[in-house]
Amino acid sequence: MAEPSRVIHIRNVGHEISETDLLQVVQPFGAVAKLVMLRTKNQALVQMEDLSASISAIQYYTTIQPSVRGRNVYLQYSSHQELTTDQSSHGRNPDQDEPNRILLVTVHHMLYPMTVEVLHQVFSPYGFVEKIVTFQKTAGFQALIQFQSRQSAIQAAGALHGRNIYDGCCQLDIQYSNLSELQVHYNNDRSRDFTNPSLPTEQRPRSSQLGYNDPSLFGFQQPGAAYGQAAVIAAAFGGTLPPGVTGTNDRCTLIVSNLNSDKIDADKLFNLFSIYGNIVRIKVLRNKPDHALVQMADGLQAELAIHYLKGAMLLGQKLEVNFSKYPSITPAPDAHDYSTSNLNRFNSNVAKNYRHCCAPTKIIHISALSPEISEDAILEHLGEHGTIVKSKLFEASGKTQALVQFESEEEATEALVCKHASKLEGSTIRISFSQMQNI
């Protein structure tokens, strides 16, 4: 074996493999100083900040075969002890740009909406962020982030360039700006002066996010996100998780008790619990028909379900929702499997669905309606579940939607669990709770 070196030589680097992919292979062992891609040779050179990181990586990958995008790559010490500055293509090397306290940030593979709050959460651990301005360019979503000190900006660029904000998406491409001072005129979701909180908001209409909420747009998956799913949800809730929701729980299965055993079934429970996350399986217990197990896709979604549904009224009974002692529901004929159901709400529009999480309300929102639907047809479809106080049929983003207000939360909940995913004039309708106070 060659003499240990801070520079690692990586072979069999196909054209589908990016710099960020390679960073994910070596960054767990230490900071990366420089990276150069040798595209014509299907190779790359990575210089670690210190020799011990390089040795740890090589030792680890002598026992584990690393694979990137389905291709095996091979690591060994390079004959180079150091890469020169002009060899490096890794943008976080401060020698490439003149360091400045203002960073130009481009967000690639943007699956979730970007706001000032999200960016502040990501960059503020490296120093006081004075100002943020966001904008849309042909390169995609961009932001200018002004730190109080140049050193803070250097640290942020070094730590975050090439990283993902969320797991598998929202990759940060960071350069130093040549501006000396940002001009911020409004404090809103697109710009913020943290040194001057008295600026007007001048609220503008929210953008449609240009379709970025659809995960099917990206076949891009990689580990090493700067923030995980908890940050997605925290951003959706305005920067803070709901009280009691930690984001660190790993228990996914819930025990739901005090159910109305004469009226409840797995599909009705699915319609309710799927508001808070994707459902894997549901099992109504045969020996205790007023009890059911509900397995959510992850522990954070399970926490949300407990937070919002504990004590809710469903079909005349007050729900009790807690974590189960069972880690999962074993597949069985009496366990309904929803893991591949296209009715799971969090298969797409993830951030929007988290944003709409709330406790049961009197008002339900109905979407996926037939364009020719009448308000009377909707009221007739839902009227059996309670007294309807108000209703409104409207069009938004070219799609027919409706709001229906019941006399009580319990009646609205019954309508949701019984009629979500039901057929109405040829369309499979979708129902969720609305956070509006009135129609």
Side-chain angles (χ1 to χ4, degrees):
M1 180 180 287
E3 180 184 348
S5 165
R6 286 195 299 152
V7 181
I8 298 172
H9 180 201
I10 306 178
R11 295 178 291 113
N12 201 34
V13 179
H15 289 283
E16 74 277 10
I17 295 175
S18 68
E19 291 184 15
T20 304
D21 292 327
L22 294 181
L23 287 174
Q24 303 305 332
V25 173
V26 295
Q27 274 185 331
F29 303 95
V32 175
K34 299 175 185 177
L35 166 63
V36 59
M37 302 289 283
L38 306 173
R39 288 294 187 190
T40 57
K41 298 180 179 180
N42 283 353
Q43 297 176 17
L45 295 170
V46 179
Q47 180 177 318
M48 308 301 287
E49 288 282 8
D50 57 65
L51 184 60
S52 62
S54 176
I55 292 172
S56 296
I58 294 294
Q59 287 178 342
Y60 179 78
Y61 289 122
T62 56
T63 56
I64 301 292
Q65 173 60 58
S67 177
V68 181
R69 295 187 182 269
R71 176 192 284 259
N72 288 344
V73 295
Y74 304 95
L75 281 68
Q76 64 189 52
Y77 294 120
S78 170
S79 57
H80 298 282
Q81 288 298 313
E82 187 171 357
L83 295 176
T84 58
T85 299
D86 58 358
Q87 281 179 303
S88 174
S89 63
H90 183 24
R92 78 188 225 25
N93 177 12
D95 292 335
Q96 290 188 309
D97 301 301
E98 183 62 35
N100 182 10
R101 69 186 182 125
I102 301 177
L103 302 177
L104 172 61
V105 180
T106 305
V107 182
H108 301 295
H109 309 292
M110 199 167 106
L111 175 55
Y112 300 115
M114 283 294 105
T115 63
V116 165
E117 285 81 7
V118 172
L119 291 169
H120 187 261
Q121 184 181 2
V122 172
F123 283 85
S124 59
Y126 301 94
F128 181 69
V129 175
E130 291 185 334
K131 301 175 183 179
I132 298 177
V133 177
T134 67
F135 45 92
Q136 195 74 39
K137 292 285 190 180
T138 53
F141 179 91
Q142 293 187 310
L144 288 164
I145 298 175
Q146 178 176 315
F147 281 92
Q148 188 174 55
S149 76
R150 179 170 164 271
Q151 187 56 39
S152 295
I154 292 171
Q155 288 178 348
L160 295 174
H161 176 74
R163 299 289 301 280
N164 294 337
I165 295 181
Y166 304 130
D167 193 21
C169 64
C170 299
Q171 180 190 0
L172 297 172
D173 183 347
I174 302 175
Q175 304 170 49
Y176 293 110
S177 168
N178 56 12
L179 297 173
S180 57
E181 182 77 29
L182 294 183
Q183 300 299 318
V184 176
H185 304 289
Y186 303 102
N187 284 339
N188 53 32
D189 59 349
R190 298 192 174 276
S191 63
R192 190 73 51 87
D193 185 343
F194 294 96
T195 67
N196 187 5
S198 61
L199 286 176
T201 59
E202 193 231 22
Q203 280 292 354
R204 303 173 184 174
R206 289 181 178 272
S207 73
S208 63
Q209 299 303 337
L210 304 177
Y212 291 143
N213 286 339
D214 184 358
S216 65
L217 293 174
F218 310 105
F220 178 90
Q221 288 295 324
Q222 63 186 41
Y227 286 82
Q229 191 185 27
V232 181
I233 302 175
F237 283 98
T240 308
L241 289 171
V245 177
T246 66
T248 59
N249 166 63
D250 58 2
R251 292 174 292 174
C252 303
T253 305
L254 307 173
I255 180 74
V256 187
S257 57
N258 203 34
L259 294 165
N260 185 329
S261 56
D262 295 328
K263 296 182 179 180
I264 201 63
D265 59 41
D267 286 344
K268 289 187 176 73
L269 288 171
F270 171 86
N271 290 345
L272 180 59
F273 279 80
S274 63
I275 292 173
Y276 309 103
N278 281 349
I279 306 298
V280 180
R281 292 184 192 90
I282 295 178
K283 180 177 181 177
V284 178
L285 304 184
R286 279 182 295 185
N287 58 339
K288 291 183 179 178
D290 64 337
H291 285 60
L293 293 171
V294 178
Q295 183 180 342
M296 310 289 289
D298 63 48
L300 211 154
Q301 294 177 353
E303 281 191 307
L304 289 173
I306 290 177
H307 174 75
Y308 286 117
L309 291 179
K310 200 178 186 77
M313 295 297 295
L314 175 61
L315 303 172
Q317 302 282 105
K318 188 174 182 179
L319 287 184
E320 189 59 44
V321 187
N322 294 290
F323 288 111
S324 168
K325 63 182 179 181
Y326 299 104
S328 62
I329 299 175
T330 305
D334 59 345
H336 293 252
D337 193 310
Y338 297 95
S339 58
T340 59
S341 173
N342 59 7
L343 295 175
N344 265 316
R345 302 171 191 254
F346 287 69
N347 289 335
S348 62
N349 295 325
V350 176
K352 184 179 77 172
N353 281 311
Y354 280 129
R355 202 158 54 241
H356 290 168
C357 282
C358 63
T361 65
K362 296 178 183 180
I363 302 176
I364 57 174
H365 175 260
I366 310 162
S367 58
L369 289 163
S370 164
E372 295 80 28
I373 194 77
S374 69
E375 198 164 331
D376 286 343
I378 295 170
L379 298 182
E380 185 178 341
H381 191 62
L382 300 173
E384 66 181 293
H385 302 295
T387 303
I388 295 176
V389 178
K390 291 180 188 175
S391 62
K392 178 183 179 182
L393 188 64
F394 62 98
E395 187 176 294
S397 304
K399 296 177 182 178
T400 304
Q401 303 178 38
L403 291 167
V404 176
Q405 182 174 340
F406 285 86
E407 203 165 64
S408 69
E409 288 88 351
E410 183 180 354
E411 291 174 342
T413 303
E414 179 179 321
L416 184 147
V417 301
C418 294
K419 293 296 167 65
H420 173 66
S422 65
K423 286 282 189 181
L424 179 58
E425 295 193 0
S427 296
T428 302
I429 65 173
R430 301 177 73 86
I431 303 178
S432 58
F433 293 114
S434 171
Q435 297 179 43
M436 293 180 65
Q437 297 302 307
N438 51 62
I439 297 176

